[in-house]
Amino acid sequence: MQNKWLCLLAFLLLAWISPAAYAQQRNQRGLERRVVAPDTVLNPQTIDLSPLDSLDKLVQDTIPSADSTKTVPKSDIQTVINYYGEDSIITDFVNNKLILHKDAWFEYGNIRLDADLIIVDWEKNEIFASGVVDSLGNIQGNPIFKEGGTSYEIRKEMRYNFKSQKAIIKDVVTEQQDGLLRGQTIKKDTDGSIYLDRGYYTTCNLAEPHWHISANKIKSIRGKQVVTGPFNLHFNGIPTPAGLPFGIIPDTPDEKASGIVFPSWGQERARGFFLRNFGYYFAFNDYIHTRVTADVYSLGGYGAKAATVYKKRYKYNGGFNIDYQAFQSPETELNPIDYNTIWVNWNHSPESRGNSRFSASVNAGTSNYNNVVINPVSFAANTRAEFSSNISYSKTFQGTPFSMSANMRHSQNIQTDEVNIILPDIAVNMNRQNPFQNSRIEPIKTLNIAWNFNLQNSINNRITPPFGVQSAALIQQEELELGLNQNPNVIPFNRENLAQLLREADNGARHTIPISSNFRLLKHFTGTAAANYTELWYLERINYYFNPVENRVDRILENGFNRVGFFNSSFSLNTNIYGFYTPKRGKKIERIRHHMQPTFSFNYTPDFSNPAFGFYQEVQVDQEGNTQLFSRHQGFIFSGAPLGESRALAINIRNVLEAKIKQDSDDDKIETKKIPLLQSLNFSTSYNFAADSFQLAPINFNTRTSFFDDKLSVNFSGNFDMYAEQRITNPQTGATTGRRINQLALSSGQGLGSLRNLTLNVNGNINPTGGDRSPGELREDLTNDFLQQGGVMNEFVENEITRIVNDPSMYIDWSIPWNLGFGYNIAYNRQPGRDANVTSALTFNGDVSLTEKWKVKFNGGYDFMTAQITQTMIGISRNLHCWRLDMSWIPFGRFTSYNIDIRVNAAMLQDLKVSRRRSFFDF
C-alpha cells in the first residue's frame, strides 16, 4: 500500500515540474515534429485518478512539447504525421486527442490542413478544424483543406475521417477546373466526389460573386463533371428566370473531355430558323479527338461537319476538317438558293529532328463554298480569290550533297474557276560543290557547280484548243501593249471531265546545272561569272500547219521522247561607293552618309529559234503568206527554249541615305543616334544589243523609308518608258487604242517618255505607348502564350486565334488608352494610247478606352475613286470581371450584320451566354 502512494506522489511531482521545462524549451523547438499515434498503453484504463484532486485536469496543458511518443501503432493510421502550432500543441492522453492552436497545420499523407484550431481524435480516426473567435467577435484562421490537387476553403468547420477518407464540411468553397463550388453543407466521399446542399457554381473569384448558378443539390465527381439539379442564374445576388432542369459542367482535363456540343440557334430570312453546330465531341484518347456536328435549316437545308485533331508527342501534330453543306429552297422565289458545296482543311506538322520531314497544308473545296457559307465573325476568307495546298515529303541523305523532295501541289481560283493540281512534283538536288577549292587561283578556287532535277505532272482544267492556235510571242506582246488578258478555256473540274483532264495533263522533267565563280577585281570590285545549262524532257511535241479553208493555224501532237537543251551566261561587276557630308551650321545633324552600290551585268543567250535546233517552227498564218515562229513546246509545263538572241547589259544602282543626329543626355557626354533618311532608292534598266526593236527596257525605280521611330512608313515605286506611243482610232466604233513604236519619245516630240506605273503606300500607327503590335505579331504572341500554358495547337485553336486577331471585340488591351492605325494607297497606271487609270483609298483602324473597362474599336476605309466607304466594323467591349460584353456592327457592304454577346470568362462555359445575332443574310 505504501508503494502505491509513493508511485502516486512521484507521478504528481513529475506533472508539476513538466510545465516549467516545457516553458523553457518552447521557443527552442523546431517547426516540425514527427509522431505516431498513441495507443492505450499510455492511457491505462485500470488507473482512475479522478477521485484524487483537481490536478488531473491540468494534465491536458502540461505535457512537455519536447516529448515524443514512438510506439508500434495499433490504430488505422499507418503513415508519418507532421504538425505545427504557433501558440500551443497539446496532447490529451486522457481522451487520446491532439490539439493545435493558432496558425496551425497538419499533414498526413496527401492531405494538409491549415487552421487556427485543429483537433485530432485518435480514437475515432477523425480530425476537426475551425476558426477562432477573437475579442471583437470576428472569426480568424478559417480552415483550408487540401487533398491531392483539390483545395477547400472552409468558412466554418470540417470533420475528416482518416479511415474512410470521408468528410463533413460547413460552408465551403472549392475550385473545380475554371470555376468555384460553394455549399452550406458538403459531404465528401471516399473517391473524392462531393455532395453540396444549397450550393452554387461560379467562375467569379470575388467574395460576393457577380454571378452564380444556384441549385439545392449539386454533385461533383472528381475528374469527370459537376452535376446539378434544377438551377437558375443569379446576377449580383438577384435571381433571374434563366435556368434549366439540370446542368452538367465538365471537370475533366481538356485532353480527356468528351461530351455534347450544344448548338447555336437563330433565324435567317432566306434559310429560316436554324440549329448550327449541334453534335458530339469524341476524346478517343490522348492522341486524337474528333468533333462531329450538324446544321439544320427549317426551309430545307442541312450540313455536316467533322473536325479531327491529333498529336504524337515529339513526332507530329495536325488537324483535319471537312464541311459539307446542301441547301435547296424553292419557296424563296425572289432569291432561290440551290447548292451543294464542300470544303476540306488538313494541316500536318512534324516535330522530329531527323533527316526526313513530312508536312501538309490543304485548303480546297468547291468554288461556291465561300460565297454561300459565311462566317459572320471573320469574313476575310470570303474575300480571297485564290487558295493553295501543298503536301510535302523531303529527305536529306547524310554524308552526301544530295537531297530529295516529293510534293503534291494544288492551286484554285474561285473567280475564274481554274484548278491546277501538280501530282507528283519530285525534285532531286545536289548542293553546290567546289571541286578546285585547293587551287591558289581565285576564280578557279571559288568555282562551284550544282545540279537540280525536277519532275512534274500537272492536271488542270485550262484547256488549249487544237484549232485556231496563236503564237505565244504574239499573245505576250498583245498583253504587254494593250493590257489584255486572254481568257483561257476552262472546263468544270468534276468527275464527268476527269478522263479528259487526265488525258490532257502536262508532264515533263527539267535538269538545271548552274556554274559560277566569284573573284576580286582591281581591289574595289567584285566579279561574278556564271553559266546555266537547262535541259527539258517531254514525251511529245507540237506540229503546226496552216488550214487554208478556215484561214487559221491548227496543231497536232507528235508522240515520242523529246529533249530541249539551252543555256545562258552572265558576268556581273559591283562595287561600293561611300560619300559623307557634314553640315557646317547643323546643330542637330552631325553627319550624313550616302551608300551607293552600282551593279553592271552582261547576259548572253543564243537564238534558239534557229531551225537547226528544231525548237521552233515557222508557219504560214494567213492567205497572204505571212509567217510566224511557233514554239513546239508552247503551253507545256516547263515551256520551251527562249525565243531570240539576247546580249543585254543590265544596270542596277542601289542607294541608302542615313544621318547621325545628336541626342540630349543627362550627363555631359554627347550621344548620337543613326536614323534612315532613305532606307533604299533603287534604279534598274537594261539594253539588249541583239534586239531588232525596243532595245531599251523601261526604267524601274523604287524607294522606301520610315519616320518617327518607324511609326510612319512610305513606299514608292514605278516604271518609266522611254519609247514613243501611237494612238489609233477606229472610225466605225470610235474606240481608241494604242501601241508603242520603236522610236524614242524625245525624238518624236513626246518628251522624255511616259510614266507607265506609279504606286505610293503610306502606313502609320500611333499610340501613347510608342508602338503597337501588327496582326502578325498579335497572332504570334497569342500562340506563344497558349503554348507556354501547355496547350496544343490544332485547327480549333487556330480558328479562335484568327477570330481574336480579326474581331476587335475579342481582344482587349486595356493598357493602351487609344491607338490609331492608318494607310493611304494611290496607284497610277497608263497603257500606250489609253487614258490613265488612278485608284486611291484610305484605310484606318484603332481603338479608344472610354473608361478602364469600356473600349471602342473600329476599322474601315474610304475609296476616293468611287466616293464610297469601304467595309467598316465598329466594336464595343465591356469588361465585367467574370463576364464579357462584346458588341460588333458591320453597317455597310456585303457582310452587313450585328452581333451582341454576354459570356462567362471561362473556356468551359462559353455556351453559357446571352446572344443576339443577325447575319447579312437578313439584309
Side-chain angles (χ1 to χ4, degrees), residues 346-358:
W346 179 33
N347 292 282
H348 179 90
S349 300
E351 298 181 4
S352 60
R353 300 180 180 179
N355 299 324
S356 60
R357 174 185 175 89
F358 176 79

Side-chain angles (χ1 to χ4, degrees), residues 309-538:
V309 294
Y310 55 88
K311 179 179 177 64
K312 183 70 173 178
R313 183 170 296 180
Y314 310 123
K315 294 289 186 178
Y316 54 80
N317 65 81
F320 181 84
N321 296 346
I322 184 170
D323 183 8
Y324 174 78
Q325 297 286 331
F327 193 85
Q328 183 177 7
S329 180
E331 299 177 12
T332 56
E333 297 179 358
L334 298 179
N335 186 23
I337 302 176
D338 186 0
Y339 63 81
N340 290 274
T341 185
I342 190 172
W343 199 263
V344 176
N345 296 98
W346 179 33
N347 292 282
H348 179 90
S349 300
E351 298 181 4
S352 60
R353 300 180 180 179
N355 299 324
S356 60
R357 174 185 175 89
F358 176 79
S359 62
S361 176
V362 177
N363 196 19
T366 53
S367 59
N368 64 339
Y369 179 88
N370 289 283
N371 294 326
V372 296
V373 181
I374 308 296
N375 183 354
V377 176
S378 172
F379 45 83
N382 303 105
T383 59
R384 292 176 55 188
E386 296 184 355
F387 296 88
S388 60
S389 307
N390 183 32
I391 301 175
S392 174
Y393 173 80
S394 61
K395 183 176 179 62
T396 301
F397 300 95
Q398 280 188 334
T400 71
F402 294 95
S403 62
M404 63 85 63
S405 65
N407 299 270
M408 193 283 284
R409 305 183 189 275
H410 153 268
S411 61
Q412 179 178 359
N413 190 307
I414 62 175
Q415 291 184 348
T416 62
D417 292 334
E418 291 186 48
V419 179
N420 185 34
I421 297 177
I422 301 178
L423 177 67
D425 180 0
I426 300 175
V428 180
N429 303 306
M430 183 186 74
N431 296 333
R432 291 185 175 270
Q433 301 297 306
N434 298 87
F436 309 107
Q437 58 183 348
N438 296 325
S439 175
R440 296 183 178 180
I441 304 175
E442 188 175 9
I444 299 178
K445 180 179 180 179
T446 58
L447 182 69
N448 60 78
I449 183 173
W451 171 71
N452 303 304
F453 171 78
N454 188 210
L455 173 67
Q456 292 186 11
N457 179 69
S458 175
I459 305 172
N460 60 76
N461 60 343
R462 186 178 61 252
I463 304 301
T464 302
F467 308 112
V469 182
Q470 194 173 10
S471 172
L474 182 60
I475 296 175
Q476 183 178 4
Q477 185 69 17
E478 290 181 351
E479 293 180 352
L480 179 63
E481 295 185 358
L482 303 179
L484 300 176
N485 291 325
Q486 303 295 326
N487 293 325
N489 296 318
V490 177
I491 64 174
F493 199 99
N494 52 30
R495 184 172 55 185
E496 289 75 12
N497 296 326
L498 182 59
Q500 181 181 357
L501 295 174
L502 294 176
R503 185 172 60 252
E504 299 192 9
D506 298 327
N507 48 69
R510 177 176 59 190
H511 300 260
T512 304
I513 303 177
I515 304 173
S516 64
S517 177
N518 303 320
F519 53 89
R520 284 280 184 179
L521 188 63
L522 301 177
K523 293 184 180 181
H524 302 293
F525 295 89
T526 301
T528 302
N532 292 277
Y533 176 77
T534 302
E535 182 166 307
L536 309 177
W537 289 354
Y538 295 117

Side-chain angles (χ1 to χ4, degrees), residues 485-786:
N485 291 325
Q486 303 295 326
N487 293 325
N489 296 318
V490 177
I491 64 174
F493 199 99
N494 52 30
R495 184 172 55 185
E496 289 75 12
N497 296 326
L498 182 59
Q500 181 181 357
L501 295 174
L502 294 176
R503 185 172 60 252
E504 299 192 9
D506 298 327
N507 48 69
R510 177 176 59 190
H511 300 260
T512 304
I513 303 177
I515 304 173
S516 64
S517 177
N518 303 320
F519 53 89
R520 284 280 184 179
L521 188 63
L522 301 177
K523 293 184 180 181
H524 302 293
F525 295 89
T526 301
T528 302
N532 292 277
Y533 176 77
T534 302
E535 182 166 307
L536 309 177
W537 289 354
Y538 295 117
L539 298 178
E540 57 189 8
R541 71 174 185 175
I542 304 175
N543 287 325
Y544 301 92
Y545 66 93
F546 176 67
N547 187 339
V549 178
E550 300 292 339
N551 192 27
R552 69 188 184 194
V553 177
D554 296 336
R555 70 169 194 166
I556 59 174
L557 294 176
E558 178 185 346
N559 294 324
F561 179 76
N562 192 256
R563 54 176 294 275
V564 181
F566 54 92
F567 65 91
N568 60 62
S569 61
S570 65
F571 176 80
S572 64
L573 199 66
N574 68 77
T575 188
N576 293 283
I577 302 174
Y578 296 91
F580 298 91
Y581 172 71
T582 302
K584 296 181 180 180
R585 299 181 180 180
K587 296 183 179 180
K588 192 71 174 177
I589 300 178
E590 183 179 281
R591 177 173 291 186
I592 298 176
R593 188 184 78 159
H594 177 208
H595 176 206
M596 182 171 63
Q597 186 181 52
T599 301
F600 303 90
S601 61
F602 184 80
N603 303 280
Y604 172 71
T605 302
D607 184 9
F608 290 99
S609 63
N610 192 311
F613 292 103
F615 302 149
Y616 283 82
Q617 181 182 352
E618 188 174 5
V619 184
Q620 180 182 345
V621 295
D622 53 29
Q623 298 288 355
E624 287 76 15
N626 296 319
T627 61
Q628 290 181 3
L629 288 174
F630 285 78
S631 172
R632 291 182 177 271
H633 309 93
Q634 179 175 315
F636 283 22
I637 192 167
F638 296 116
S639 299
L643 174 64
E645 182 183 7
S646 174
R647 296 194 303 271
L649 174 65
I651 302 174
N652 181 46
I653 301 176
R654 178 177 178 269
N655 299 271
V656 177
L657 198 63
E658 298 173 322
K660 185 178 290 186
I661 61 175
K662 300 176 183 179
Q663 285 186 318
D664 298 333
S665 59
D666 298 334
D667 51 18
D668 296 335
K669 294 182 180 180
I670 299 177
E671 296 182 356
T672 60
K673 178 182 178 181
K674 186 172 65 174
I675 62 172
L677 300 180
L678 286 177
Q679 293 176 337
S680 68
L681 174 60
N682 304 323
F683 299 92
S684 64
T685 186
S686 63
Y687 188 89
N688 188 357
F689 296 95
D692 57 358
S693 60
F694 303 107
Q695 295 172 314
L696 181 63
I699 300 175
N700 300 309
F701 57 89
N702 64 80
T703 183
R704 62 182 178 89
T705 188
S706 61
F707 304 96
F708 313 114
D709 294 331
D710 296 331
K711 290 185 177 65
L712 181 68
S713 63
V714 180
N715 293 272
F716 185 75
S717 63
N719 65 66
F720 192 80
D721 189 1
M722 300 286 290
Y723 285 95
E725 61 183 48
Q726 181 181 11
R727 287 177 176 260
I728 303 173
T729 302
N730 191 325
Q732 297 179 352
T733 62
T736 301
T737 59
R739 65 184 183 88
R740 301 169 70 204
I741 59 176
N742 188 31
Q743 188 175 357
L744 292 177
L746 186 61
S747 62
S748 301
Q750 298 182 9
L752 294 177
S754 301
L755 188 64
R756 298 300 181 200
N757 296 285
L758 189 66
T759 303
L760 172 65
N761 298 321
V762 180
N763 297 281
N765 192 285
I766 53 176
N767 58 57
T769 62
D772 189 37
R773 289 177 291 181
S774 65
E777 293 172 337
L778 176 58
R779 181 186 299 275
E780 183 178 356
D781 291 344
L782 292 173
T783 303
N784 292 337
D785 291 342
F786 178 77

